[in-house]
Every structure is written in structure tokens, then in C-alpha cells.
Amino acid sequence: MQLLPLTPNGQTPVRALTIAGTDSGGGAGIQADSRTMALCGVHACVAVAAVTVQNTLGVSAFHEIPPEIVAGQVRTVVSDIGIGAAKTGMLASTAIIEAVAGVCREVGIGRDGEIPLVVDPVAASMHGDPLLHAEALDAVRHTLIPLATVVTPNLDEVRLITGLDVVDDRSARKAAEALHALGPRWAIVKGGHLRSSEQSTDLLFDGETFHELPAKRIATGNDHGGGDTLAAAIASALAHGYSVPDAVAFAKEWTFRCLEASYDLGAGHGPVSPLWRLHLGISGS
Ligand code: PLP
């Protein structure tokens, strides 16, 4: 696969910002985003929105960062460091979503500011533990998603956001249209959780054309952080100047390799791993 270029020592890499929650188990959230960004040659800036109490068995609690502190992290990073792309993950509440949307509009992140925004509308962990208050779904639909350059829900999140069940290609197209109608530039419907299929085909839609991105399914229980990794890889490629379709195609291959390299951890779901990239050295071969 074509890898994103790493910067020679001492040179400033491109920058991206993740606005998301932490995972104390190190598998998902900000930890997954930062790892993928680093190994895609990107300096990762971080705006912490929530701190989760989490291991491989689940999320037992989370603490929300005050909305003005979340927005302040975004503002201060953009004004000094400058970023080529941003990504949102776990935002937990309506108040945080509104603060993030407000600062994004202020500094030119998202539709159609200069800085592209990947919105991963995180609602729950793979164990079913909530990462978003139910009352915040309206803010996800009408405040956050309309700002997105590209929105990347999994099938559970598609159901929560649109009310549509994706069971086949036809319903995936309907869901992509419903997501796109909320206002993002591009919508992805991920096929990864369609367990019955041999393939894991993602659908990318810009309001006119459907792009199908097939991949072979990998049967592993160690897929914690897979959604974060895909969205962070898209943001990394956008920061490097890729178009959205090229960034998504890159991210899909990246995530496939990270699923192949996933490992056992603790007693629950292990993480997808981008550490395979370290074995390739700076030239990537
Ligand atoms: N914890 C945090 C902080 C996350 O952001 C996410 C997903 O985005 C998760 C947990 C859940 O990840 P998964 O669904 O891969 O278990």
C-alpha cells in the first residue's frame, strides 16, 4: 500500500488535531488517534473532551471536561501551531458539542472553512457502554454533522442518527443519503459491522455519486479502536493534502493492516495496532 510520508528528523511535520476522549486502556480514543497520526507522519495535537475509566472489558465511568476548556484547547492550538485537518471522537454531551462547533466555526475548522473536519459520531463503546448522553443525539445530528467534511458512523451510530437499519447494499445507500441530508460534504456508511458478509464494503457518498470501497473482512475480536483509527487515518491523509476519496481509500487500507496487526490485551477486546508501520523504517519499504 501507499504509505503517508514520514518527515526527516528535525523537520516540522504536518499537524492534525483530535478532539475526543481518552482511553485509560490505551486502545481507542485519543490514544488510538495519536498513534495513527504519528505513524502517518503527522504531529498530533489533542483537545481532551472527556476522560474515560476504561479497560479491555468496558467503560465503567467517564468525566466530562468543561466545554470552555475543550474549546480553549482547540483555539490555542490553531492560533499557534496551525493544523491541516481535525477530527472529533467522543464528545459526551450537548454542551461540549455546542462549544466544539462554536470554536470550529470561529477558527475555520469544518464546512467550509480552510481546515477539513472528520466527524466520528461516537455514541457507545463496542461493549455497549454509553460514551454520549442520549439527549445529545440531536446536537450530533443538527450541530456537529453539518460541520463535517466527512462523517464516519458505524452501523449502530447510523441507526441512532438516522433511524435506519443497514442490512444490505440498498439500505446502506438509503442510510448514506439520509446522513448526507444532514449537511456533511461526504458521508461514509461503514460495512465493518455487517457480520454476515465476507466483505467489509464501505460506501462513500457526496450527494451525487456512490463510491464503493470493498475490503476482505478480518475475523478478530481484537478490533477495539478500529473506528477511531479509520477516522484518524482519514484526518492524517487530509492533513497531507489528499482529496476525501483518496484519504478514505488510504484509511481503509491502513485500518485493514491495523486489524491484521491487532493483539490480545487484558481479558476483553484487544486493540487494532498501527505499530506494524514501525517495522518498515522511514522509507516505508
Ligand atoms: N473509548 C473512547 C474514548 C472512544 O473514543 C471510543 C471510540 O471512539 C471507544 C472507547 C470505543 O471504541 P470501540 O468501539 O472500538 O470499542
Side-chain angles (χ1 to χ4, degrees):
M1 70 177 285
Q2 185 74 35
L3 294 165
L4 297 177
L6 305 186
T7 313
N9 289 336
Q11 281 187 20
T12 308
V14 297
R15 282 83 56 206
L17 168 67
T18 170
I19 311 166
T22 66
D23 171 0
S24 46
I30 278 176
Q31 283 74 10
D33 294 344
S34 307
R35 267 199 300 275
T36 272
M37 287 176 182
L39 292 172
C40 287
V42 175
H43 174 93
C45 299
V46 162
V48 182
V51 175
T52 69
V53 180
Q54 178 168 187
N55 62 19
T56 65
L57 295 170
V59 182
S60 53
F62 64 79
H63 170 73
E64 292 163 38
I65 304 301
E68 69 277 14
I69 299 293
V70 182
Q73 293 171 82
V74 176
R75 189 178 292 114
T76 206
V77 162
V78 173
S79 69
D80 173 43
I81 296 172
I83 55 167
K87 181 224 150 192
T88 63
M90 174 189 182
L91 296 181
S93 73
T94 299
I96 294 176
I97 289 170
E98 285 177 351
V100 167
V103 75
C104 283
R105 280 193 292 266
E106 177 191 316
V107 302
I109 295 176
R111 284 223 74 168
D112 285 297
E114 240 171 72
I115 305 166
L117 175 66
V118 183
V119 170
D120 187 15
V122 173
S125 77
M126 64 196 308
H127 316 86
D129 302 317
L131 297 170
L132 178 81
H133 298 300
E135 51 81 22
L137 265 176
D138 251 358
V140 169
R141 283 186 202 105
H142 301 301
T143 306
L144 186 61
I145 291 179
L147 268 182
T149 308
V150 51
V151 62
T152 66
N154 63 31
L155 295 186
D156 291 332
E157 290 153 1
V158 167
R159 189 178 313 109
L160 281 172
I161 292 163
T162 68
L164 296 172
D165 258 324
V166 174
V167 292
D168 55 17
D169 186 53
R170 202 170 141 269
S171 47
R173 286 177 181 236
K174 278 217 162 336
E177 285 168 352
L179 278 170
H180 190 267
L182 293 173
R185 176 76 188 78
W186 295 84
I188 299 178
V189 172
K190 293 188 279 189
H193 293 80
L194 266 183
R195 295 284 173 207
S196 55
S197 162
E198 297 265 297
Q199 290 272 316
S200 161
T201 300
D202 293 352
L203 204 56
L204 177 63
F205 184 56
D206 65 353
E208 283 179 11
T209 311
F210 290 99
H211 302 248
E212 285 191 5
L213 298 158
K216 226 173 85 200
R217 170 175 309 289
I218 296 183
T220 173
N222 294 331
D223 55 359
H224 182 48
D228 313 69
T229 297
L230 181 88
I234 297 172
S236 299
L238 293 174
H240 278 284
Y242 279 41
S243 69
V244 169
D246 288 349
V248 172
F250 162 77
K252 178 103 179 149
E253 273 198 75
W254 175 267
T255 306
F256 181 84
R257 296 285 293 268
C258 294
L259 273 159
E260 278 185 329
S262 64
Y263 48 82
D264 292 336
L265 192 73
H269 293 283
V272 304
S273 171
L275 299 182
W276 57 270
R277 175 67 183 88
L278 291 172
H279 296 292
L280 301 182
I282 192 158
S283 67
S285 51

